[in-house]
Amino acid sequence: MEGLDATKGFKAWSRLQNIVIGRFLTGQEGNRFLFQNDNKNIINKQAATVTRILGPKNLMDLPVEDHKRMRGAIMSFMKPEALQKVLTRMESVILQHFEECWEGKDSITVVPLMKKLTFHVACDLLFGLKDGNEREILSKDFSAIVKGVWSLPVNFPGTAFHGSLRARSRICRRLSSLLEVRRRELEQGKASPRQDLMSCLLSMSMNKEDENNSALTEEEIIDNMILVMIAGHDTTAILLTHLVRMLALKPHIYKSILQEQTEVLSGKQRNTPLRWEDIQKMKYTWKVAQETLRLNPPVVGGFRTATEDVDYGGYTIPKGWQLFWTTSITHWDGEAFKDPDKFDPAHFDNQLAPYTFIPFIAGPRVCPGYDFAKIETIIFVHYLVSKYKWSLVFPDEKMICDPMPAPSMGLPITLHAKGN
């Protein structure tokens, strides 16, 4: 907890009222302290902009019992057993993306294409939305939402926050219309409760015989569809972008991934769909993705708030103070990762200590989309290295945060398609 170590007279300051000061909590113990104290004396409370834009019923802001109920509902579609049933659909969307956006091109710009790809995957598997015009409209509104999440909460025309709130209103109206259509389809037997996340959550809201009173409201569904949509496409797009960049800079990693892909699929007929067991065998590919997440986490951190005076590391954290957990400082901790500044997938050869690798958070609020992102990433990398070699137009391209870390010029690359 390095931020607190540098603060003198902390206990005296703690008596002052109506002051909120952020302090960094880092390392395994700092993360454990925050993530395990959920709703005891530390609550998960987001910045005002996050709550206004995502909605008050979003998973990150819910108290423990409501969080368990909503997380369980989302996991009923996101758990590995359920994802096996939509593997072919996800693969089909990714293949279509390569055909439409990569084939026949001498060069592309990666960032916008990765956002387009992950948005299409999310639209298909989360909403069951295939209409191109509808996707384009929603894509623009979701882009506007993300720009305002970490902005100043100034609701004035021309500000990012104002634009995000207007985009949220449009998305809510559209999702409400989609929910009504899907509700009728479910009632008429024209849709399956498990065909996508929207149908899954909606079927729970229609369960009139639920003795546990866990049926979901439309507000809960909409707020969490917005959250999952952002988490399900924007963060994954950043991961895929950094993977493309890293594989261009480190040809030996590219070669090792290609070797694994070749070995896993040896004996299979060419152009046959990937099987669930194929995905599970691509362990090195996922280690490379994890190492990319370690050094380039899409989410920089998050907020917690003390609900009472809390002692930690010899200091008293006053009631009402806001704390910020940070991903990168922990990921670069030499005690958790040997040679932390070195890109090395071997960091993940052995099981890591809890709370040291936190791109998906940890503890009770660990991201329910972990397996969704993992499968999507592995499928994408499989077809990427199977079909192409590439080089960076600007090897020293600078990184910016807008609000996630990404190449400043969108990562233009020169493509070299492999022969069939």
Side-chain angles (χ1 to χ4, degrees), residues 99-123:
E99 291 171 3
E100 294 178 354
C101 302
W102 294 59
E103 285 189 9
K105 304 289 177 60
D106 295 325
S107 63
I108 61 169
T109 302
V110 174
V111 171
L113 288 187
M114 293 304 93
K115 290 187 176 184
K116 181 176 182 179
L117 166 63
T118 56
F119 192 80
H120 284 183
V121 170
C123 277

Side-chain angles (χ1 to χ4, degrees), residues 139-404:
S139 177
K140 291 179 180 178
D141 282 335
F142 272 104
S143 294
I145 272 188
V146 171
K147 289 184 180 298
V149 166
W150 292 105
S151 65
L152 291 174
V154 179
N155 189 9
F156 188 80
T159 65
F161 185 58
H162 179 78
S164 291
L165 291 179
R166 288 174 62 86
R168 171 183 163 80
S169 295
R170 292 191 296 270
I171 290 172
C172 287
R173 289 194 296 270
R174 184 59 194 137
L175 290 185
S176 183
S177 297
L178 288 174
L179 283 169
E180 183 57 34
V181 171
R182 189 61 52 80
R183 185 180 288 108
R184 290 198 300 268
E185 291 175 344
L186 287 167
E187 290 173 342
Q188 296 168 5
K190 296 180 180 179
S192 165
R194 299 292 170 180
Q195 70 183 38
D196 51 51
L197 181 60
M198 176 181 282
S199 298
C200 187
L201 298 182
L202 189 55
S203 65
M204 293 181 180
S205 75
M206 297 166 62
N207 186 0
K208 307 299 183 182
E209 301 178 357
D210 190 344
E211 297 179 355
N212 297 319
N213 194 30
S214 61
L216 306 176
T217 66
E218 181 167 311
E219 182 184 14
E220 288 177 314
I221 293 175
I222 288 176
D223 284 358
N224 284 284
M225 288 299 296
I226 291 174
L227 170 64
V228 173
M229 193 68 180
I230 292 173
H233 94 272
D234 223 57
T235 55
T236 305
I238 295 301
L239 167 59
L240 298 185
T241 296
H242 285 290
L243 273 169
V244 172
R245 179 177 179 272
M246 184 278 304
L247 290 176
L249 293 173
K250 300 184 181 299
H252 66 288
I253 301 290
Y254 172 98
K255 183 178 179 180
S256 295
I257 286 181
L258 183 59
Q259 180 179 347
E260 177 182 73
Q261 302 287 332
T262 302
E263 291 174 355
V264 167
L265 300 179
S266 63
K268 287 188 62 177
Q269 290 185 351
R270 191 179 183 87
N271 297 324
T272 56
L274 291 171
R275 301 168 301 178
W276 182 257
E277 51 267 36
D278 297 330
I279 300 292
Q280 303 312 304
K281 290 177 182 177
M282 297 175 182
K283 299 183 183 301
Y284 179 78
T285 301
W286 182 237
K287 288 177 185 177
V288 172
Q290 288 177 296
E291 181 70 346
T292 303
L293 282 169
R294 183 181 73 84
L295 294 176
N296 303 281
V299 178
V300 297
F303 291 98
R304 296 289 194 274
T305 299
T307 57
E308 59 185 63
D309 289 357
V310 183
D311 291 329
Y312 179 82
Y315 294 92
T316 297
I317 301 173
K319 176 182 177 179
W321 275 39
Q322 201 167 51
L323 303 117
F324 186 81
W325 60 268
T326 174
T327 314
S328 296
I329 297 177
T330 300
H331 286 183
W332 287 71
D333 186 347
E335 294 184 5
F337 299 95
K338 183 180 179 181
D339 298 325
D341 58 339
K342 178 182 178 183
F343 187 98
D344 185 4
H347 283 136
F348 295 89
D349 282 349
N350 300 310
Q351 186 172 357
L352 297 173
Y355 303 101
T356 55
F357 181 62
I358 54 171
F360 298 96
I361 315 182
R365 292 183 182 266
V366 64
C367 176
Y370 172 87
D371 288 296
F372 188 96
K374 177 180 178 179
I375 295 165
E376 183 177 3
T377 299
I378 290 176
I379 295 174
F380 171 79
V381 173
H382 164 70
Y383 285 107
L384 176 69
V385 300
S386 299
K387 292 174 173 287
Y388 297 98
K389 291 184 178 180
W390 63 95
S391 57
L392 304 180
V393 176
F394 305 106
D396 297 323
E397 187 174 350
K398 293 181 179 179
M399 295 291 140
I400 58 172
C401 284
D402 187 31
M404 299 180 190

Side-chain angles (χ1 to χ4, degrees), residues 63-162:
V64 169
E65 291 306 316
D66 287 338
H67 177 271
K68 288 180 180 178
R69 181 170 63 94
M70 178 54 69
R71 189 178 188 280
I74 294 172
M75 283 300 296
S76 66
F77 182 80
M78 293 287 195
K79 60 187 177 182
E81 308 91 88
L83 291 175
Q84 290 184 52
K85 300 176 182 179
V86 297
L87 175 65
T88 302
R89 276 173 54 195
M90 183 183 288
E91 182 183 22
S92 176
V93 176
I94 293 172
L95 276 171
Q96 184 178 1
H97 168 80
F98 276 111
E99 291 171 3
E100 294 178 354
C101 302
W102 294 59
E103 285 189 9
K105 304 289 177 60
D106 295 325
S107 63
I108 61 169
T109 302
V110 174
V111 171
L113 288 187
M114 293 304 93
K115 290 187 176 184
K116 181 176 182 179
L117 166 63
T118 56
F119 192 80
H120 284 183
V121 170
C123 277
D124 191 299
L125 275 72
L126 303 184
F127 293 165
L129 185 62
K130 300 180 185 297
D131 183 88
N133 291 330
E134 291 281 359
R135 284 179 174 180
E136 186 64 26
I137 293 170
L138 275 178
S139 177
K140 291 179 180 178
D141 282 335
F142 272 104
S143 294
I145 272 188
V146 171
K147 289 184 180 298
V149 166
W150 292 105
S151 65
L152 291 174
V154 179
N155 189 9
F156 188 80
T159 65
F161 185 58
H162 179 78

